[in-house]
Amino acid sequence: MSFSATDHEAVTRFIRHCGAGVIATLGDDGRPQAAFVGLAVAPDGTVVLDAAESSRKVANIVARPEVAIAITGDDVSVQVEGQARVAGGAERERRGEEYAEQFPGSRALESGFSVIAVDVHWVRVYDARTRPPHVSEASWR
């Protein structure tokens, strides 16, 4: 059964089930940079990932926080766009724990790692399990 981009619960369940995707950020030169990352979803729908503090994606997010993420699985793809931030203080602890719940043994809260939180603003679902494929888009602002 297809799900709609307006169905926050179904979208977050899909991302949580897949557990990984590709995040795209913009480098200093304006060129896109993509990285395969583990993805968790917090109870409030925030997408959470971790990254080495020295990674390009962390520097890119600090300078230009708009990101896009693509998640695929079983003939379904979900694209999300949103505002990312490197979580600090109490939010870092909370988001890092949420990430670790979905990825036991994660190094997200260790020294040298950043916890990144993405507030999703736009979603597109493409479901090729149906004919014709089911496609829906929604703004989550």
Side-chain angles (χ1 to χ4, degrees), residues 66-69 79-83 118-124:
E66 289 295 324
V67 300
I69 303 171
Q79 296 168 238
V80 300
E81 294 177 358
Q83 187 88 10
V118 180
D119 297 321
V120 176
H121 298 158
W122 177 85
V123 176
R124 181 178 191 267

Side-chain angles (χ1 to χ4, degrees), residues 22-36:
V22 175
I23 187 168
T25 61
L26 287 176
D28 284 336
D29 59 2
R31 295 175 57 176
Q33 297 176 357
F36 185 74

Side-chain angles (χ1 to χ4, degrees), residues 56-110:
R56 297 185 315 172
K57 74 180 103 7
V58 169
N60 292 347
I61 287 167
V62 169
R64 291 160 301 283
E66 289 295 324
V67 300
I69 303 171
I71 306 100
T72 63
D74 300 329
D75 296 325
V76 178
S77 66
V78 170
Q79 296 168 238
V80 300
E81 294 177 358
Q83 187 88 10
R85 68 188 166 284
V86 176
E91 184 188 28
R92 181 181 191 277
E93 292 297 317
R94 185 177 78 251
R95 298 299 186 195
E97 289 170 5
E98 291 165 342
Y99 187 83
E101 284 177 22
Q102 292 170 59
F103 295 99
S106 162
R107 301 185 304 168
L109 291 173
E110 290 183 11

